[in-house]
Structures are given as structure tokens and as C-alpha cells.
Amino acid sequence: MSPNRRLLLAAASGVALLAGPGFAFAQSVSEVEEVIVTASKTGEDLREVAGSVSSVSGQDLSDLGAQGMGDYLAVVPGARFNEQQPGFSTITIRGVNTTTNFANISQGTTGSYVNDIPLTDAYFTSGTPDIDAFDVRNVEVYRGPQGTLFGASSLGGAVNFIANPANVDGFDLGLEATVSSTSSAGDPNGALRVMVNAPVSEGRFAIRGVGSYRREAGFIDNTGLGRTDVNDTEVYGGRLGATLVLGPETTVSWLTLYQSTQTDDVGYENPDLHQYTKSTGIPELAETNILIHSLRLDHDLPFAHFTGLVSYRDKESSVALDLGRFSAFGFVNAGVQDDVDSTGLTFEARLADQEGSFRWVVGLMHDEADIDITENVFADNAFAVAEILLGPGGGALATDGDIWGLTLGKFSGQETAVFGEARYLFNDQIEAIVGGRLFRIESDFDSYGFGLLYAAFINGLIVSDPPTAHQAEDGFSPKLALSYRFAPDAQIYASMTKGFRFGGVNVNPDPSLPRTYDSDSTWNYELGLRGRWLDRRLTLDASLFKIDWSDIQLPVVTAGGTQGIVNAGDAEIYGGELAFEWSLTPNLSWQSSITYLDAELTSVDSGPGLIFNVSAGSGLPGASDWSVSNVIRYEWQGDHQPYVQLSHRYASTAPALLQQFPLREPEVGGYNVFDLRAGVTINGVEVIGFVNNLTDERAVTTATYTGNFGDTQNDFIMRPRTFGLTLRWKR
């Protein structure tokens, strides 16, 4: 398809969206409430932002019955949650991704934050922490590259999860309990959450504690192990926050967050077997843990507001994966155990002034990350197979017990940046925005490999110990925008923004592979409309955009079988987004979002000795042409506040992988999913009944594939039909 035709299609879809029917969110009032987001890191009103920003409030999360990201990102235009085993899922915004899988050497393409604390690993992405959505102030989703103010990893956008701070003005207590049953699961699901906010010195100092526990019963059977309902998952953790008001101008706040996710056996379905069935020789256990400490200072100066933030993070992930396809070489119960420990420190200081016609924010940021990777490849008969493949004595040289492959990696990376954004209001209608980020990213990587894996399948060496690799880059990420306010509550805007992510190092040296690969970048060109109409009962956002993605970090295999990453591709993404909230009557509301994407590779620069399995014209993984969500809610007046709510989400089919294979091409999407909720308040207790996945749709969210070697496809699917009851109380 020609670029001109793609642009015309995107424009046509946007016009169609703007002419479409209205909708609204869960508001029983005649005016859609004002939502404040921390856009531009200044607390700017959402309606004032000249760009695509969505905010899902804590009340919205409660209305949706949200447990995690998969529940609330579904209502955000342009956002896709690539759901896998809990704790290992990833996020794609506006189709910018080269995989829907968590196992990715490169940095992720979507920035993930908790209270402005970056959580996206600089190297060897092992999934996005899915923080429990209880007692949350709001979740902000920035669509389009955010390199200017958020930095690395925001190629497609950023998600900022903001917890409720401790409130110094009053005591609060909240409880929530849920029990439910999933079809095909032998055991019930359950969740318990509690929040306590206690002023120690009213108006001066308060602490806020949140605890949560959730159990999701397994519904997948593993015929290889002879076990049923193997994918039981437990998620537990909590948050501890403190607020200290030192004076009218100064506030200090603290946040500690911990969450652990444990799955007994990864819950995917093999489509070649019976429904809800997999078959492996080993249990594929998965576990993630995240710990965050952060200290924040806010102080009002005579000329600006100062914010200082220092944070520490520790992310751990561990997953076992079956390698049954290696039985072709004689291995028995072969598997791989991947363990990743990522720690980091972030420092940020910024000044912001939002008064008058000239408004600005400037800041300094420094982030340090250390990632330790351990990969053990094992089999019950590793020694015997090594003796056969390498000859007598091979077992002693190339195995260690049942280990026949060991890879150790240590990554250290830094990002240092100066950033800023200035807004000038020429009058009450016209505003110009200029921003930029001057940055330096650098990293060092040490690796060590041992065993039969290397000798027989990678580089012919029993021991691989390459020298330390160093990678460094300087760059500038600009932003330009112009907005025109043609009515008190409505504006149109045009913007250009850029995003980037870390470069990296190829673990296993190969003559056909560069030792390092560079950062890739995106340019987003956007036209948008934002406003409120009908006495503020209708809020509408619409945008048309084109994204140029250059020097893409593409996965590659050398002729010798070594896997790596090279900068070898370009892509174009054309799209349109529409989201609006409409209070149709004082009782009836309707929210909807619609996204159109045309995302594909435009070039692949194949190098000598490299096998890409991708070509120009390939669609980007997970980039459905059409995505739609709807939430319709009716509330009755009265003391008991009864309501009923119907939610819907649709995604058209899209490739699950960037690579192309002759035997099969896994797909995701192609589903319509409905959720139904009804609630009533009795003596201060909200009682909610719900049915999720009402029609029991088989909805594939992510898929993996072994390729021609093994020809095994694994589909991750949404949870089957689930009935449940929630009790919620707060004072």
C-alpha cells in the first residue's frame, strides 16, 4: 500500500470517527467531571494538554472492577495489554513493538512508571510489573513518543501509575473482598484488600498502608505432567506511604511498594491439543517480585515549584520454560530456567512555573541500572547426551550435573539528561510549545557461557568468555506543538514528538553480528481535537497520527545459529483514535474508544550471514487494524444507589510475531468480550455481582512459537467466563 493511500485511509477513518455516535463513561451527573493529570510533570489539566493523554481515575478503576492493567488499558484508545502469565505481560501503544512476548533482549517500547519512578528495564525485558489497582489515585497513559520528558523506552508512549498519597487531614479505612468462580477451574478465586490512612499529627503528618492478596485459580490442564488446573496464581503485596507537611510551601512524601506474583505452571493453551490444555515435561514455574522505595520533596519557591525525587527499585523475575523439542537430540525433560535481577537508582529534580502567559518546566535526571541474568539449560540425561554428541569425555567437559548450558550476563547502564518544555500563550486562543531532552546513555555488558549448549548449538566452544562490551550514545529528543482554542472548552492542536530507547549488546559474539546495537527512535506527527460540549456532558478526544520508526532493533539469527539484535529496519504507522465520555441523561452514561492502525515494516536491511525471517510489508505484532471498547452504565437514584454496567472490547486479528514462518503464522485478537456488573449499597456496604467474559470467548492475547524446530504454538488466552461477588466498604 502506498504512503499516500495509507494517509488517506487514516484520515478517512478519523473523519468517520468524528461523525460517529456519542458515548460517555460511568458518570451519573449532568457534567463529566474534570480530570487532572500530571501532564508535562506540572499537574496541567488534561483538557489543556496539546497531545494524546488518557487518565483512568481511582473511581473509574473501581467501576470497572479492575484488578490490573489488562482491565483498565482495555478502555484506553491505542493501548494494548499483551497478557501472558501474571507479572510477565507487556504493553504496546500505537502498535510500536517488535514482539508481544516478554522474552526480549531489547528494552521495551513503552515506558512504565509508578509515581514517576521508571520500571522499564534498560536491557533484557522480562515483563511489566502489573501493580494491583486498589486505592489508586489515577493511571495516566501518554500515547505517542514521550522522549522529551520521560526519556528512554517511551518509543510508543508511557504509562504512569499513581498511588494515593497519605492524607494528613483525616482518617480513612477501606475494605474489599471478592470471591468468584471460573468455568473450567476446579477451585474458586478470591481477593482481599485493605487500606488504612491515619494522621499521626493532623494537618502535619500521616501514614497510609495498603495490603492486598489475590488468588486466581488455574484452568489449564497439563497432560504431559498428568495434572489439572496447573496455572494457579497468587499475587500479594502492599504499599506504605507517608506525608509530612513542613509548612505551607513544603511537603515531603515517602512511598514503599512491594508485590510478589507466583504461578505454579505458566497458563497457556496449545491449540493443537484440547481446549485449555498444554503438554510439557516440566512444570513451568514463574515468579516476579518488585520492591520500590521513593522519597519526594515538593516546595513552592517565589518564582516556581520545585520537585525533587530519589528512588530505588529492585525487580526479580524467574521463569522455567519447557524445551521438549530438544528430545530430537535425545534429551529427557529438557528445560531452561531464566532468572533476572534488576536494581536501579533514579534521581530527578525539576522546576515548573504554570502562571502567566509563559509557562515552563526544566529538570535534571540521572538513572542507574544493574541487571544480572542467569540462564540454566537442563535435562535429566545431560551427561549421556553430551557423551553422544561430543564423544567420550564430552559429558565431563560440557555438563555440570543436569546442566548442559549456562549463561551469565551482567549489564550496567546509565541515562543522564537535561530536559525542558516551554509554553507561550500568545492570547486566549493560541499556544506554542517547544521542548527538548539532551541525553547520554551508556552501558557495559559482561557475559559468560558454558556447556554443551555452546559447543553443539551456538559457537562450537565449550566456554565462551568474550571481553566486556561498551556502548554509549548522545542525543537530543525534541518536541514541537501548536494549539488553537476555538471555544472556551475546545482546542485543536498539531504536534511533533520523538522517542528513543537504549541500545545494547549481543550476548553471544558471532562474526556476522555486531557486538553492540544502537538505540532506535520514533517520530510522531499528530493532529488532534479535544474539548467539552453539551454543557460539558460530552468530552471528546480525537487524533490522526503518523509514526516513523527508524533503525529498528530487529531480532536475527546468523547462519551459524546465533541469535542477536541488529539495527536493520524501518516502519511506518498510520492511525486514528477517538475517545469520548457522554452523560446521556442524569442516570445513563456511555464511554467508548475506537482505534485504527495501519502498521508495517517498510524496509529490512539484510546483512551478510543474517537470517531475519521478516520482510518489508510485514505487519507489526499485536497491531490490530481496529480496536474498540465500550462501557455503558445506568444508575438509579435513591439511598441504595443501584446500578448496572455492561462493558465490551473488540480487537481485530493481528500477527502475534514479527517473524514469518512457513509452517504457521500465530495470530492474536479477533475477539469480542463482554463483562456485566450490577451493584447496590446496603448500610454503607457496596455489594457487586459480576460476570466477566460473559459469552466465554476464546480471546488470544499473546502467542509464542518455536519456529520450524518443534513447530509448537502456545496461545495465552483471556480468563474464561467468571462469575463473582465483591463487597466494598469505606469510611
Side-chain angles (χ1 to χ4, degrees), residues 126 257-258 270 332 369 425 431 440 537 552 560 572 626 641:
S126 56
L257 180 151
Y258 173 78
N270 186 329
V332 176
L425 284 72
E431 180 182 61
R440 178 174 176 81
R537 291 186 297 109
I552 301 175
E572 291 181 348
W626 291 97
Q641 301 173 329

Side-chain angles (χ1 to χ4, degrees), residues 408-445:
L408 301 175
K410 184 173 181 59
F411 174 92
S412 298
Q414 297 183 12
E415 178 185 358
T416 304
V418 179
F419 61 87
E421 184 175 293
R423 305 164 57 211
Y424 186 76
L425 284 72
F426 292 95
N427 49 44
D428 292 337
Q429 294 180 299
I430 300 175
E431 180 182 61
I433 302 169
V434 178
R437 186 184 193 91
L438 183 65
F439 64 88
R440 178 174 176 81
I441 52 178
E442 56 183 315
S443 62
D444 292 287
F445 186 80

